[in-house]
Structure formats: structure tokens, C-alpha cells
Amino acid sequence: MKLKAMLIASVMSLLPLSGYAADLTIGFSQIGSESGWRAAETTVTKQEAEKRGINLKFADAQQKQENQIKAIRSFVAQGVDAILLAPVVATGWDEVLEEARESEIPVLLLDRTVDAPEDLYMTAVTSDLVHEGRVAGTWLVDEMAGAKCNIVELQGTTGSSPAIDRKKGFEEGIAGHDNLSIIRSQTGDFTRSQGKVVMESFLKAEGGDNICALYAHNDDMAVGAIQAIKEAGLKPGQDIKIVSIDSVPDIHLAMADGEANATIELTPNMAGPALDALEAYLADGTVPPKWIQTESKLYTLKDDNKAIYEMKKDLGY
Ligand code: AHR
């Protein structure tokens, strides 16, 4: 990787900065379209590439790691200049990342991390996924102010870094508060439809009166769960408090209607910082940090959620 990139850099150092990206062909292995947030990330990535004159080769893995591995191998065979990878799960990447490295093709991770040696990728652009869970947990601690509360949890895709880390962070956030306990926790695979199905099963097993709060690892599952709660004759946001992650337009609409209580924002623009890092590396050899952290902002009912919805609704979610 280094040799090829340095050769490109030495040639390109004679060109104006705006000329660098125009010659690049980059492969993007996207997970799929499980959530509104994921759709926005795809939109923004395509826009960022277009803006920079990058030829982006897009591969939708339809939630399957094997499809992502095939896509990476295909990008390597085509000799792309770099690969953007949003890894569906955390493990099982070493071999294919090694193949990319042997072909001197830098890989940049978007929004999720991998359990692999750091030298197998150039950088990872992600939020602090544990912190997001901690913020959600701390919000609920404050909201309940010592009152007893049974929590149900909708986890993201099993084995994915956000599902692992957001669970860990939330548990840390509520630790030491004996009034709060997680009574059920199951995956809803980050989708609206599974969020609804699993919430229905929670309500059936526990009865609505025994559930005081829902923590969902993303907003789409929360939106599905809101539907299930309403169909059970309960008031989401009141009978059952709801905190989730992403800040997609629909959760702000639900918050504006008082049907959800809090969300933590995840920017869909992971590609911008990743492409900036790649371009800087190709321009003058600047080695990016292994982790480029994006911000996490908490929104509650104190915010103007209708205005946030209006602002976000046409951004590709
Ligand atoms: O990896 C980021 C997560 O993946 C988002 O929070 C979720 O909506 C998406 O599917």
C-alpha cells in the first residue's frame, strides 16, 4: 500500500490539490439498507464522491458479510485506488483485509469497527459507540430520578460493533442505579419491521404495565416499536419512555408528537472525513489517526423536534 501510495503522491505533488481526487476510483462496500440512517450514509457517500470527481464503485451487500468479502475481492481485482468498507459484523475480516494490503490498496472503515489488527486498515471513521450507549443510559437515569423502571432493549445486528458497544455503554450508564433493570433484551437487526415484531413479543411476555422504558440501538427499531406500543393500546413516550440512537427525521417527528423521548445523533457523513484523510495521504503522505471520531449529540423533548424533522427530511434518510 505504502509504495503505491507514495508513488501516486510523488506524481501528484506536481498537481493542484483539486486534481487529486478526480483521478481516483474507489470501491464502497455498503452493508445494505436496513435503516433510514444507512440510506442517508449511502446518499452522502455518493454525493461526497461526486463532489470530488471520484469514480465510486458501489456494492450493496444486503446484510451479508460474504457479499462484502466478495465485493472487496472484486475491487482488488479491478485495481481500485482505495476501498471504503462499512463492516456488517466485527469479526472475520483479517484474510480479505490482508489481500487488500498485499495489493497496496488502502481500506478505510466507515461507521463500524472491526476486530482486526490496526495495520490492516488506514483509518476508521466512527462515533464513540460505547459513549452513545452511555449517554442513553445516563439520560434514563436522570429521567427516572430514582423511580423504579423495567427496561426492554432492542439490540442491533448480532455481532456488529454498534450492537456490542451500545449495549455495553448503556449498561455502564445505568450501573449503580438499582431502580433501573433491563428485563428483556433481543436483537431487532436494526430494522423497523423487526423492531415492531420484537416489541410485540416483549409486550406479550411482560404485559405493558411491567415495561417502563425502551432502549433501542437505533431509531428505526424504536419507530417500529412505537407502532407495536400503540397497537397494544399504550401511549409511547408516556406509558413507555423511549430512547434510541441516530437522530433520523422520523424519530424527531415522533418526538414532536410526544411519542419518543430522546435520541443521540450519528452523522451519516462518514465518507467526507474518510476521503479527506485519503486525499491528504495521497497528497503529501500525511498518515491519518487510526480513529477519526464523529460527534454524538443528545436531543430531547426540550429541542424543537418539528424543526429538526423539517431540516433533515430531504437529506436522503
Ligand atoms: O453502524 C451504524 C448503525 O447502523 C446505525 O445506528 C444503524 O441505524 C445502522 O443500521
Side-chain angles (χ1 to χ4, degrees), residues 126-243:
T126 75
S127 58
D128 184 334
L129 297 157
V130 177
H131 172 72
E132 290 168 344
R134 223 182 278 127
V135 171
T138 307
W139 173 83
L140 191 59
V141 167
D142 294 344
E143 181 75 8
M144 295 318 298
K148 184 174 159 42
C149 183
N150 285 339
I151 306 158
V152 293
E153 178 183 26
L154 283 168
Q155 296 181 35
T157 301
T158 305
S160 68
S161 65
I164 297 164
D165 290 349
R166 288 173 181 168
K167 178 166 187 50
K168 180 172 181 275
F170 185 80
E171 287 170 357
E172 285 175 13
I174 64 168
H177 298 273
D178 296 342
N179 57 314
L180 306 181
S181 46
I182 301 172
I183 55 167
R184 294 208 174 240
S185 181
Q186 204 178 307
T187 182
D189 213 10
F190 281 130
T191 68
R192 222 170 256 221
S193 56
Q194 275 305 104
K196 180 168 187 279
V197 167
V198 178
M199 189 69 207
E200 281 166 355
S201 75
F202 287 161
L203 288 162
K204 197 166 167 210
E206 293 293 338
D209 290 349
N210 199 37
I211 301 172
C212 146
L214 163 68
Y215 166 47
H217 290 191
N218 81 345
D219 291 342
D220 276 71
M221 292 189 294
V223 171
I226 287 170
Q227 196 56 38
I229 294 168
K230 284 188 188 172
E231 286 173 14
L234 296 165
K235 289 193 177 118
Q238 293 178 41
D239 297 329
I240 298 179
K241 305 267 184 203
I242 299 175
V243 55

Side-chain angles (χ1 to χ4, degrees), residues 35-109:
S35 65
W37 185 89
R38 183 69 51 200
E41 187 191 48
T42 297
T43 304
V44 173
T45 304
K46 288 179 177 173
Q47 287 168 347
E48 282 291 326
E50 199 181 342
K51 195 168 89 185
R52 296 159 197 257
I54 290 171
N55 173 24
L56 189 76
K57 291 179 178 288
F58 179 76
D60 178 342
Q62 304 193 339
Q63 313 299 316
K64 291 197 173 72
Q65 184 181 33
E66 68 203 66
N67 290 344
Q68 293 204 284
I69 291 173
K70 273 188 211 151
I72 294 169
R73 291 199 168 123
S74 159
F75 293 147
V76 169
Q78 293 170 63
V80 297
D81 297 296
I83 294 171
L84 301 176
L85 167 64
V88 61
V89 290
T91 57
W93 298 103
D94 296 46
E95 195 179 327
V96 74
L97 292 180
E98 187 66 57
E99 288 167 26
R101 185 171 66 171
E102 277 166 14
S103 297
E104 302 175 351
I105 297 173
V107 175
L108 298 95
L109 305 178

